Amino acid sequence: MTEHEDQSTARRDRPHKETGDDPAQRDATQEAQQEEQHDAQHDAQHDARDEERHENGAQVSTAIETPGSPEAAIPELVIISGMSGAGRSTAAKCLEDLGWFVVDNLPPALIPTMVELGARSQGNVARIAVVVDVRGRRFFDNLRESLADLDSRQVTRRIVFLESSDDALVRRFESVRRPHPLQGDGRIVDGIAAERELLRELRGDADLVIDTSSLNVHELRAKMDAQFAGDEEPELRATVMSFGFKYGLPVDADLVADMRFLPNPHWVPELRPFTGLNEEVSAYVFNQPGAKEFLDRYAELLRLIAAGYRREGKRYVTIAIGCTGGKHRSVATSEKLAARLVAEGVETVVVHRDMGRE
């Protein structure tokens, strides 16, 4: 018998032994019995909550430790940290372009929770990158505890640390005219020194340290690609956009081609109502002198440009194809060009910006 049961029995037996027919004593007896019932209900509820927490904990542990089932596949984790101004954002964007799920400035205490949610995604979130920096310094002390938690769950993790010299960091902060997050009322160099001290242990634990002192954005992306892209060449995504010059140039175009050197189907009465998506309009356009030759040579030029874009770390390109109204020639050419790009393995989206405006 437990101590609690002994006390409950004592409360229950005492009134019967000591009381007679005194109404006051009977009231005291009833009050004692009600108190006993309340205590018993409280204990039962407490035990039920403990059991529920234990069961829930077991379910979470099983999900993380059993990678065989689809919903329990543990995501690969990369933690990006390092000096402010050393290129953390560029590194994160590179991983995002490679298909990673990226979370910026996540409090370290929430990293295990993020991994747990990824494990429940049935493989939809297979790779997670988390940016941790001194903007979350109130939570930074929790990072080591979170890393130990991840290690106990056998989560595959890597730490990427972005480093740079004091001179390079000072130049970068001065060029953007922003203070260092830790400089307070002091100078930029004071903030850099404080950050180095704060990150000293993390740098020592890093799996990959990249010194960006003499690197530009493209060179940093190339280093990240070399580490995380595997044997596959980084993917290039293209948007082929038809437009009408009379409505203005697309502001986001990387390359612009002008199809106004071809005769305009607008002046052919039987073709005027249709667009470049119509087979007869497309045939009319590409039966004109120079049309097929232009498509062949422009596709060849794009292959050369695409290879350079990949080397420079550029992942997205917008190719704008224009004619007068954006209805016939540009639409037909955009469709043909997009088909060429898809055939060469380029992920391509076609947008007809001005078709239907007339």
Side-chain angles (χ1 to χ4, degrees):
M1 182 178 292
T2 64
E3 180 181 356
H4 176 74
E5 290 173 337
D6 287 337
Q7 293 173 353
S8 298
T9 302
R11 285 198 302 266
R12 184 172 63 251
D13 293 341
R14 186 167 54 249
H16 290 287
K17 294 179 181 179
E18 297 175 358
T19 61
D21 294 331
D22 187 357
Q25 291 179 341
R26 284 198 303 270
D27 292 341
T29 300
Q30 293 175 355
E31 181 178 353
Q33 291 174 343
Q34 292 175 355
E35 180 181 353
E36 177 189 352
Q37 293 174 355
H38 178 269
D39 290 343
Q41 293 175 352
H42 176 77
D43 292 341
Q45 293 173 353
H46 181 75
D47 293 340
R49 285 195 298 269
D50 286 344
E51 183 178 357
E52 180 181 359
R53 281 195 297 267
H54 176 73
E55 291 177 353
N56 290 340
Q59 292 172 359
V60 171
S61 177
T62 301
I64 293 296
E65 295 177 2
T66 310
S69 57
E71 61 272 16
I74 303 176
E76 183 181 355
L77 175 67
V78 166
I79 297 174
I80 301 174
S81 191
M83 300 297 295
S84 299
R88 291 188 308 251
S89 297
T90 299
K93 290 177 181 177
C94 181
L95 290 184
E96 188 173 22
D97 289 344
L98 292 174
W100 291 67
F101 184 87
V102 179
V103 183
D104 190 15
N105 199 24
L106 183 72
L110 296 181
I111 295 177
T113 303
M114 194 71 213
V115 174
E116 186 175 308
L117 292 174
R120 297 176 180 177
S121 69
Q122 300 183 356
N124 293 324
V125 182
R127 298 181 297 178
I128 298 175
V130 176
V131 181
V132 177
D133 54 58
V134 292
R135 287 178 295 171
R137 52 191 177 274
R138 290 181 302 170
F139 309 97
F140 204 83
D141 293 338
N142 297 327
L143 179 59
R144 187 164 295 280
E145 181 180 347
S146 295
L147 294 178
D149 186 7
L150 295 171
D151 291 340
S152 68
R153 301 183 186 192
Q154 299 181 344
V155 176
T156 301
R157 63 168 178 83
R158 283 178 286 178
I159 299 176
V160 177
F161 192 94
L162 281 301
E163 176 65 278
S164 193
S165 67
D166 287 4
D167 291 343
L169 294 175
V170 170
R171 287 197 304 271
R172 292 169 188 172
F173 276 104
E174 288 180 343
S175 66
V176 296
R177 298 182 180 180
R178 294 180 60 187
H180 188 280
L182 296 185
Q183 77 178 72
D185 296 331
R187 300 177 300 164
I188 293 177
V189 292
D190 298 327
I192 293 173
E195 187 176 33
R196 284 199 191 281
E197 183 62 29
L198 181 64
L199 300 178
R200 186 179 304 279
E201 291 187 15
L202 182 61
R203 188 188 189 283
D205 293 337
D207 300 282
L208 173 64
V209 177
I210 301 177
D211 188 347
T212 66
S213 301
S214 58
L215 299 181
N216 59 34
V217 172
H218 306 303
E219 292 168 336
L220 174 56
R221 292 185 67 103
K223 285 185 174 292
M224 292 294 294
D225 284 341
Q227 292 292 327
F228 296 99
D231 297 331
E232 298 179 0
E233 188 176 11
E235 186 178 6
L236 178 67
R237 298 178 177 88
T239 298
V240 180
M241 177 187 297
S242 68
F243 73 97
F245 277 96
K246 69 179 183 179
Y247 300 113
L249 287 169
V251 296
D252 57 343
D254 297 295
L255 303 167
V256 178
D258 185 356
M259 304 307 299
R260 290 177 296 182
F261 70 93
L262 297 175
N264 192 349
H266 175 80
W267 303 114
V268 180
E270 58 270 24
L271 298 180
R272 182 179 302 176
F274 302 106
T275 71
L277 298 178
N278 179 270
E279 291 184 4
E280 293 183 0
V281 173
S282 180
Y284 174 86
V285 170
F286 285 97
N287 282 333
Q288 302 302 319
K292 292 180 181 179
E293 184 180 2
F294 167 83
L295 185 63
D296 292 339
R297 294 192 179 185
Y298 198 58
E300 184 179 353
L301 177 63
L302 289 179
R303 282 194 291 271
L304 177 64
I305 293 174
Y309 277 164
R310 290 189 179 99
R311 288 193 299 270
E312 291 298 310
K314 186 176 177 61
R315 299 290 173 264
Y316 303 93
V317 58
T318 298
I319 305 164
I321 309 293
C323 62
T324 303
K327 180 180 179 181
H328 296 109
R329 293 164 291 181
S330 62
V331 172
T333 306
S334 294
E335 291 290 332
K336 292 285 189 181
L337 182 61
R340 293 278 189 100
L341 294 175
V342 170
E344 295 179 6
V346 179
E347 183 178 335
T348 306
V349 176
V350 183
V351 177
H352 300 300
R353 192 191 73 175
D354 300 324
M355 189 175 68
R357 293 187 66 170
E358 289 185 347

